[in-house]
Amino acid sequence: ACGNGGGSGDTAAEDQNFDGELLFTGSSTLAPTISQIADEFQNEFGTWDQVDDSLPAETIQISVSTGGSGAGAKAVLDGTANIGMLARHAREEEREALEEYQEAIIGMDALLMAVNQNNPLGQNRSEITAEEVQNIFSGEWTHWNQVDENLPEEEIVLLVRDVGGGAHGVFQNAMMGEVDVTETAIEVPSMTGLVDRLMNNPLAMGYASFGVAEMHQDDLVAFVLDGVEPSLENILDGTYPVARPLVLVWNGELNPAEAAFMEYIKSEKGIQILDEMGFVPVQ
Amino acid sequence: MFYHRLEKLFATTVRACTVVAVFILALVIFLIFRESLAIFQEVSVKDFLFGAEWRPVSHHPRIGLRPILAATLALPLVALVLALPMAVGAALFFAYLCPGPLRRPLRSLIDIMAGIPSVIYGMLGLVYLIPLMENLFSMSSGDSLLAGGVLLAIMVLPFMISVMAESMEAAGSQYLEVSKTLGVSHLYMLRELILPLSLKGMIAGAVLGTSRAMGETMAVMMVVGNSPLMPDSLLGRVKPIPSLIALEMGSAPLGSQHYHAIFGAGFVLLMLLLGINLLFYWLRRQIESRGEVS
Amino acid sequence: MKEGVKKHWKDYVLQSWIYASLLVVMAAAAFIFGSIFIRGFSAIDMEFLTASPQGRPLGSEGGIFPAMMGSLALGLISTSLATILGLSVAVYLFLYNQSGKIDAFVRLIVQCIAGIPSIILGLFGYTFFVVLLGFGHSLLAGGLTLSIMIFPVIVINTEKALREMVAHQIMASHALGVSKSYSFFKLVWPARKKDILSGILLGTVYAMGATAPIILTAAVVSASVPNSLFRPVMALPYHLYFMAAERISMENAFGTALVLLSMFFIAYGISFYLFQDRKEEEK
Amino acid sequence: MTQAIAIKNWHVHYGKTEVLKDISLEIPEKKITALIGSSGCGKTTLLKSINRLTEEEPTATTRGEIQLKGTSIQSLPLEILRRRIGLVFQTPTPFPFSIKKNMEYGIRYHEKLTAKEEVMLIEEKLKMAGLYEEVKDRMNLSAVRLSGGQQQRLCIARSLTLNPDVLLLDEPCSSLDPKSTAVIEETLRQLAKEVSIVIVTHNMAQAKRIADYTAFISNGVLVEVQETEALFQEPKQEETRCYLEGLIG
Amino acid sequence: MTQAIAIKNWHVHYGKTEVLKDISLEIPEKKITALIGSSGCGKTTLLKSINRLTEEEPTATTRGEIQLKGTSIQSLPLEILRRRIGLVFQTPTPFPFSIKKNMEYGIRYHEKLTAKEEVMLIEEKLKMAGLYEEVKDRMNLSAVRLSGGQQQRLCIARSLTLNPDVLLLDEPCSSLDPKSTAVIEETLRQLAKEVSIVIVTHNMAQAKRIADYTAFISNGVLVEVQETEALFQEPKQEETRCYLEGLIG
Ligand SMILES: Nc1ncnc2c1ncn2[C@@H]1O[C@H](COP(=O)(O)OP(=O)(O)OP(=O)(O)O)[C@@H](O)[C@H]1O
Ligand SMILES: Nc1ncnc2c1ncn2[C@@H]1O[C@H](COP(=O)(O)OP(=O)(O)OP(=O)(O)O)[C@@H](O)[C@H]1O
Ligand SMILES: [Mg+2]
Ligand SMILES: [Mg+2]
Ligand SMILES: O=P([O-])([O-])[O-]
């Protein structure tokens, strides 16, 4: 709970200003997890005074919205959300724009180079090199037989996140450098949507969030990248190159309600849910 | 006396609201324009409209609307080509062939179809149309200009039918009886009298339908793939302005170049549609003034 | 030849064209309504209508109650505002304005507002209501944005209803030396209220079905039942979009679509009934 | 002869077409004056000018002066003017309410009466319009269910509730059967004892039967006005003669 | 005297109101028969009955028989019947096409003519309707730009293109100026040499001028029919006399 610095005389005034409703906005990767935690939180306590008796007896109400990591940073910036969810590091501009930038890294995720389980390449091998990935995503190679002569001459259907997605920037920086992703790629507005399309199209290739891919292990093939397996350990120790943090950002001091919920996210319960959702919690 | 005193208040309210309504349009145009102004300080209008690439957040940002603009125009065009013949045919039916008792239920059905929210159309497109396209054209992925066009055609069809049937009735009903006295058949009358008379009504329906299609967001966004490519093939993927706004606006940081570029695109779309509406207004005036002569 | 009807080949072409078009339209209608009813019906049960979204990812289980309430709230707010504005404009044109030029001008403006695409209204709502006026991502901002969208519909429908008012009756009322507000409240409104109301109702459902204007102004993926004007809300169309585009649950997407569509049918039913009633009266 | 209304050099344009050209005409008090003329010559427009209903037509512009008992109608507040000058239209225009509500409509706006006074006033005016006996037992019947003739008399009665000095009637019998017509004509003759009446009619016989004076308008111009007898017997103008003989219109 | 049309015990209801009651009337061949009667008495309905346009009114029901030259009109195919019986309405109803197209409309449906035959037919009929000289140099002018009288004559000519045996005219001159009226009256007199004509008119003078026979209808009942002269001089029925003296309607 928050510090009880204020004298008890102020409680009435505090009650008046107390804001028991929180809005989280941002990463579509992170949104399901946060809403899951929020759901548990609401079910467990119901009203704020149950969380901490210095808080008033107002109903706990936590809303979660998505729009991509960019939208999360922006919402905090324009004041439309309490806390932004980012599935990447905050950009320099974003940090600068916020007067009192604050953040908490709650977990790690990685982007897996993934194809459908019936994909010709996926059935042939389990490894891919960074150079191949770059050739495919830059549009250099447009057909599967260019990746490997034995494969049929069929179009590579590329699935990427729209520019608002955290994955977009992370992938760009880690894999593409200065080279642009080809315009022919299909932009999908969320990670779950991207993975779903991947599961339904044998000719598709895309980058899948580790967490989301976990849930659909049987339908996807995730490649070993340059000899590094996308495993929990490799992601945590940074050997797997396309890893990204899951960050919550806000501006200034947390208010009592925000602080109380933040505490909960970092608690045993929060960590357990994060883990269940396929992410790698960090303390 | 209550109503003597009310009159002033009522008249003032009514007038004030009308003024407010007029100002809403000005405000919308002004604000969208103001927010897009900054982009034209970095990119020339010409480069903005006709630049070949839209990569607002690349390492080397390029802000060119050409493929987006082309898609914005191509989508309603495809929809129009598909919907127009059917709209005219069905409108003829509703205006002049529909048996009396079926008239109102069927017209209501058309009205309801015209009012179905576009997300519902988008969802149906996603679930049924895209797989269908993949099978029909053995595409590796069904998202395409054609899918968007087909979906838009289905969406604007009821709307166009309803506009056209109304104007066909208005244009032809006064001549029905005369035509009958000349002993000609119903079909003869339809093709020799009603069709030529409804020409302007059909154009109006087509224009209105096109303008609807051009501004449509949700349904289109769900089936066109949203790749900023030139629409050089019906089976290619495209990204029109409404999709661009809906997809990118959420994440463009307030005040960034990307943010202003999105407003710039929005302003272009707004101008396009206002232009079409002015055209329509002019057309309708033509039709009405013709009505007076006869 | 039956009844001496001579058929030209053009008649056959015309006839087949008309009936082919009709067939396409009817087939589309049957398909749209059929698929939504069949698939939607199996998704709907008591829980779906009364619970909040649950499951992981969020929305794959549970219900849509907050979204229904959110949509109703958005419909209510936008309708009340748009009605004040729309009725005023229609009444002004019908009773007060005496200049043909102003009449044409106002009509043109209304026509133009009707022509603004909903996504642009969303952009406008975001800059004006959300950021400039500081309403934030909220029910109020969304309601205001939607009210701009439906106000032309209400003007046009009200105008239609007023135009059916016999011009002579209005003149007769003027001839009795009463004021215009008296004419409106004592003559026009009692005589035409059913038509006006049904026109307004159609505006309401139009607002409740719109997605693009509320993405940037009001809608979130998860929120409680609306209880404040300054809070974001869930809304049926946005929830539907979220379910379908992110492939969270097609079943629930269809269920949501059916609920949305049912609202349409109810509204049309009411306006159909009002209309019927009036026809009876006139006999 | 005192005048109820004096029209002086009156012009009306609809948009650019002049439909009334320099009309000067005096309406005598407590008499019936008939306006005749072919369709579209401007009779209705003249009536509308008198109680300023032309102002409600978006495209109409007017010039000249009209006086009500010596005062310019422009200087009178609209409500007072229209109270003093009633107008009944060609097609009966009952409001789609009950007979009672139709009668109350004008009263309630202009006056504060007790329920009893109101009932009495309504009764009196319905009697003046010769409708009372037919409707007294069904005052709550919707007015649109009355026959055309009854509707028209209701409209006359409704105008009378405001105790007007002048009553303008625009072809009040054109859509009525002969019997209703006869009743209304009788009603008007009775009313003329107290009210100045102007009636537009396309029926020469009717003008002959009830009007004290008759004015003939052609194409927006007042051709002549005379005592009715005289006008029909010996019109001063050639144009009037042609019209009366059925050569025109 | 042979009859073009024989109407026997003809009734028409609109919904529940009977607007024509037991009409029996014979229309002589190659003569002009005028129908007179007050507004709403059923004149138009009678004309519509003759070429079965009443069937197009959803609420109309009919009883009785009408014969065209001895054959029941019910037994004739609709298209043939309407070809043989033309109908011209009160308001001129040209299609908003060129004069030429207006004339071609009926011809092209019913007949297969060479271009030359067609031109000649159109010319002939325009001459019959007394319009040819006025329009021969501008056959491609839009018909709606013609004056009212010219439009009405065009409608007559258009009906004539089908070579009808009978021509029905519903107040063809009511919206026309005296000069146009005179031209059309002359046209009808000429036409009567070849075609049987029925004309509805509210203008007694017109009936006197052109009709051989006149029938008076009142409230859906045929009151009397006589040679025109006789009817106007010595009407057999009291009701007719009243009507002619302007006491009713
Ligand atoms: N609101 C209007 N706008 C434009 N023109 C009008 C309007 N009202 C009437 N007119 C025109 O003004 C002329 C005179 O009309 P008015 O109604 O006064 O004629 P009238 O003598 O009453 O004819 P009728 O006997 O047919 O009632 C007509 O040519 C008519 O077309
Ligand atoms: N389609 C219809 N439905 C119901 N009633 C009708 C219809 N057409 C005409 N009537 C009624 O039938 C009666 C006769 O109408 P009709 O048109 O035959 O009269 P008319 O003698 O031609 O009158 P006018 O001289 O005014 O043209 C009228 O009372 C009219 O209201
Ligand atoms: Mg008039
Ligand atoms: Mg008639
Ligand atoms: O989690 P995202 O930022 O990629 O939506």
Side-chain angles (χ1 to χ4, degrees), chain D residues 160-231:
Chain D
L160 294 178
T161 54
L162 307 182
N163 296 315
D165 303 327
V166 180
L167 190 59
L168 312 172
L169 300 116
D170 192 0
E171 307 191 16
C173 305
S174 68
S175 51
L176 305 185
D177 59 307
K179 224 176 117 206
S180 308
T181 305
V183 175
I184 288 186
E185 285 179 5
E186 177 53 28
T187 305
L188 294 182
R189 285 256 49 111
Q190 291 301 322
L191 278 175
K193 289 175 189 152
E194 295 167 43
V195 183
S196 318
I197 293 179
V198 182
I199 178 170
V200 168
T201 177
H202 58 193
N203 185 329
M204 300 303 113
Q206 185 172 58
K208 278 190 222 166
R209 284 194 299 270
I210 63 169
D212 302 298
Y213 297 86
T214 299
F216 171 57
I217 300 177
S218 172
N219 260 319
V221 176
L222 178 72
V223 179
E224 70 174 294
V225 48
Q226 284 202 55
E227 295 202 2
T228 303
E229 198 85 345
L231 186 113

Side-chain angles (χ1 to χ4, degrees), chain D residues 174 176-179 181 202-203 205-206 209 245-249, chain E residues 38-39 174 176-178 202-203 205 209 219 245-249:
Chain D
S174 68
L176 305 185
D177 59 307
K179 224 176 117 206
T181 305
H202 58 193
N203 185 329
Q206 185 172 58
R209 284 194 299 270
E245 286 179 4
L247 279 177
I248 324 183
Chain E
S38 55
S39 181
S174 67
L176 304 187
D177 59 306
H202 58 193
N203 185 330
R209 285 193 298 271
N219 259 321
E245 287 179 4
L247 280 177
I248 327 181

Side-chain angles (χ1 to χ4, degrees), chain A residues 130-147:
Chain A
E131 202 187 324
E132 284 171 325
V133 170
Q134 218 186 60
N135 280 334
I136 292 173
F137 278 85
S138 67
E140 193 92 349
W141 294 344
T142 53
H143 290 76
W144 287 108
N145 62 340
Q146 290 170 297
V147 185

Side-chain angles (χ1 to χ4, degrees), chain B residues 171-271:
Chain B
S173 53
Q174 49 177 325
Y175 302 110
L176 283 187
E177 221 173 21
V178 200
S179 173
K180 278 176 189 149
T181 64
L182 293 171
V184 302
S185 73
H186 206 63
L187 281 172
Y188 180 82
M189 178 190 74
L190 284 186
R191 73 181 151 85
E192 294 297 319
L193 185 64
I194 303 297
L195 268 184
L197 282 184
S198 323
L199 192 65
K200 279 189 177 163
M202 289 190 272
I203 294 174
V207 171
L208 273 186
T210 313
S211 96
R212 274 216 157 180
M214 195 177 285
E216 190 45 63
T217 313
M218 302 315 289
V220 174
M221 186 170 121
M222 289 161 91
V223 298
V224 291
N226 301 315
S227 316
L229 300 171
M230 282 302 283
D232 41 21
S233 142
L234 275 179
L235 301 183
R237 290 187 281 274
V238 293
K239 183 178 195 176
I241 294 178
S243 304
L244 179 144
I245 298 173
L247 284 172
E248 301 186 6
M249 183 57 196
S251 57
L254 205 58
S256 64
Q257 188 192 38
H258 187 196
Y259 175 88
H260 294 304
I262 291 171
F263 273 89
F267 187 68
V268 171
L269 180 65
L270 184 60
M271 288 300 118

Side-chain angles (χ1 to χ4, degrees), chain C:
Chain C
M1 235 177 283
K2 201 176 80 188
E3 282 265 321
V5 176
K6 290 168 242 170
K7 268 202 177 170
H8 196 268
W9 63 267
K10 286 184 191 161
D11 289 339
Y12 289 106
V13 173
L14 182 67
Q15 205 166 21
S16 352
W17 172 26
I18 290 176
Y19 284 100
S21 311
L22 185 67
L23 193 72
V24 171
V25 175
M26 289 299 134
F31 181 79
I32 292 167
F33 293 119
S35 60
I36 291 177
F37 272 96
I38 293 166
R39 290 188 62 174
F41 213 73
S42 62
I44 291 184
D45 52 25
M46 224 30 217
E47 195 207 342
F48 190 73
L49 295 177
T50 55
S52 301
Q54 273 142 20
R56 50 189 80 158
L58 193 77
S60 53
E61 282 160 37
I64 56 168
F65 185 67
M68 287 165 68
M69 291 301 120
S71 278
L72 279 177
L74 282 170
L76 206 70
I77 291 178
S78 56
T79 305
S80 5
L81 293 168
T83 300
I84 296 175
L85 213 58
L87 266 187
S88 291
V89 172
V91 168
Y92 174 74
L93 290 182
F94 186 66
L95 280 180
Y96 284 88
N97 172 50
Q98 279 152 16
S99 145
K101 286 208 179 97
I102 291 183
D103 189 87
F105 176 68
V106 174
R107 267 166 222 279
L108 177 61
I109 298 284
V110 170
Q111 164 86 37
C112 283
I113 296 180
I116 301 177
S118 53
I119 185 77
I120 299 286
L121 283 179
L123 266 190
F124 167 76
Y126 175 77
T127 16
F128 191 59
F129 300 123
V130 175
V131 179
L132 216 61
L133 298 186
F135 296 157
H137 205 74
S138 64
L139 179 56
L140 181 62
L144 282 164
T145 309
L146 287 175
S147 74
I148 297 180
M149 183 180 84
I150 61 170
F151 127 84
V153 179
I154 293 185
V155 175
I156 290 163
N157 287 344
T158 308
E159 263 253 286
K160 232 187 246 169
L162 294 185
R163 234 182 296 133
E164 279 185 32
M165 186 88 211
V166 190
H168 273 108
Q169 286 180 351
I170 300 293
M171 277 294 176
S173 177
H174 290 326
L176 287 170
V178 301
S179 69
K180 294 188 174 173
S181 54
Y182 190 81
S183 291
F184 178 74
F185 286 110
K186 292 287 170 170
L187 176 62
V188 177
W189 176 254
R192 278 286 160 265
K193 61 171 179 269
K194 288 179 175 171
D195 284 37
I196 297 175
L197 285 176
S198 96
I200 292 174
L201 200 61
L202 296 187
T204 311
V205 287
Y206 179 38
M208 283 168 55
T211 319
I214 57 174
I215 297 181
L216 295 170
T217 56
V220 289
V221 168
S222 146
S224 54
V225 173
N227 56 5
S228 156
L229 280 178
F230 296 96
R231 289 284 154 200
V233 291
M234 285 184 73
L236 288 173
Y238 186 65
H239 185 68
L240 167 55
Y241 169 72
F242 185 61
M243 292 293 107
E246 310 220 343
R247 313 278 177 140
I248 288 171
S249 161
M250 274 303 161
E251 200 200 355
N252 286 351
F254 271 97
T256 312
L258 182 53
V259 171
L260 199 50
L261 212 54
S262 309
M263 293 189 173
F264 263 71
F265 274 104
I266 292 170
Y268 272 95
I270 294 174
S271 83
F272 195 82
Y273 165 80
L274 291 179
F275 189 73
Q276 191 95 311
D277 223 37
R278 181 166 64 75
K279 287 278 137 169
E280 300 275 291
E281 247 170 48
E282 270 168 14
K283 269 183 199 160

